[in-house]
Amino acid sequence: DPDTPFVPSIPEDQFILVEEGDPAVIPCRTSDPDAQVTLVNSLDKSVYALYDTKQGFIGNFPAGSYTCKTVVKGVEFKSDEFLIYIIRATSQLPVEIEALKTVYKTGETIVVTCVVFDNEVVNLQWNYPGKVKEKGLIKLDDIKVPSQKLVYTLTIPEASVKDTGDYECTARHATKEVKENKKVVITVHDKGFVHLEPQFSPLEAVNLHEVKNFVVDVQ
């Protein structure tokens, strides 16, 4: 098609996620397999790469925006803009789940944190007793220094006994079929309680004028 030399691309094709060190495909394909195509970067400078008419340009590209050009009957045409984003990722998914405490009483705020290390882009899901009612508030902190980690924090305000149960986070790799899940058990009591453990016998003897200490452990 001389009026549409580049095959129209869908938005999903224009955003390209690539792991560090991996080759990428910039999918600007032509309707004419014999067309001469040039790849340029955001500075309009030519970029050398292998071109496959059925796939597009293949190579190791720095992060940034790229456009393809071709000429039909003396008229220059440009493809859509393609954005390459380089992500830091490992083949494994190191995940840790943390809870400041695992026993709460009614009215307190439950806080559980799930941390994913060495990966910039993951899909993470929470499962917890109050999920059906969407009771939890989820926050993400992307920390890059001194090392890469994604910190997902689940907060349950005004906890009730019904919030007792398993709190589980499942992380899935953005580009590989890898997943990892961790869980912690949270208990919510209707009210606080105290456990006393005396460190002495039911019957104790003491001499006249003797000073004796009675020790009790309180939890």
Side-chain angles (χ1 to χ4, degrees):
D1 182 353
D3 296 323
T4 312
F6 286 107
V7 178
S9 58
I10 59 176
E12 288 81 358
D13 288 340
Q14 292 172 243
F15 187 74
I16 304 164
L17 282 179
V18 190
E19 291 182 26
E20 283 181 323
D22 285 356
V25 176
I26 298 176
C28 53
R29 296 172 294 127
T30 56
S31 57
D32 177 6
D34 296 323
Q36 299 297 310
V37 185
T38 304
L39 179 66
V40 296
N41 59 20
S42 58
L43 300 175
D44 206 33
K45 290 186 177 181
S46 296
V47 178
Y48 175 77
L50 174 68
Y51 186 71
D52 183 320
T53 55
K54 295 182 180 180
Q55 296 185 67
F57 284 98
I58 304 169
N60 291 84
F61 305 105
S65 66
Y66 295 85
T67 308
C68 302
K69 293 182 179 181
T70 191
V71 176
V72 178
K73 296 180 180 179
V75 179
E76 184 180 80
F77 289 85
K78 289 185 177 181
S79 71
D80 293 322
E81 183 183 37
F82 297 92
L83 296 172
I84 291 184
Y85 182 66
I86 308 294
I87 61 172
R88 187 179 305 166
T90 59
S91 58
Q92 301 299 317
L93 269 181
V95 177
E96 288 183 5
I97 194 167
E98 301 170 352
L100 293 178
K101 58 181 184 175
T102 56
V103 178
Y104 292 83
K105 63 182 179 180
T106 297
E108 291 186 325
T109 299
I110 298 173
V111 179
V112 182
T113 301
C114 194
V115 185
V116 182
F117 298 91
D118 302 326
N119 286 266
E120 275 190 290
V121 181
V122 298
N123 297 315
L124 188 130
Q125 290 184 327
W126 285 98
N127 281 309
Y128 57 96
K131 185 176 181 179
V132 175
K133 296 183 178 180
E134 297 183 348
K135 192 173 181 181
L137 306 173
I138 299 171
K139 185 182 75 167
L140 169 61
D141 292 309
D142 187 353
I143 299 171
K144 300 187 182 299
V145 178
S147 60
Q148 173 66 43
K149 63 181 178 179
L150 299 172
V151 181
Y152 297 85
T153 304
L154 172 67
T155 304
I156 311 290
E158 295 292 326
S160 70
V161 175
K162 292 181 180 180
D163 292 309
T164 294
D166 293 343
Y167 284 70
E168 183 178 51
C169 66
T170 302
R172 287 180 172 82
H173 204 287
T175 58
K176 295 183 175 67
E177 291 298 321
V178 178
K179 74 173 184 178
E180 185 71 31
N181 67 295
K182 299 284 183 177
K183 76 174 182 178
V184 63
V185 179
I186 300 290
T187 304
V188 182
H189 293 280
D190 186 37
K191 54 187 177 181
F193 61 91
V194 176
H195 175 70
L196 301 178
E197 187 177 344
Q199 302 297 309
F200 48 87
S201 304
L203 178 64
E204 291 281 346
V206 61
N207 295 322
L208 187 63
H209 303 306
E210 179 186 354
V211 176
K212 189 157 189 175
N213 293 323
F214 295 89
V215 180
V216 180
D217 281 344
V218 182
Q219 295 181 6

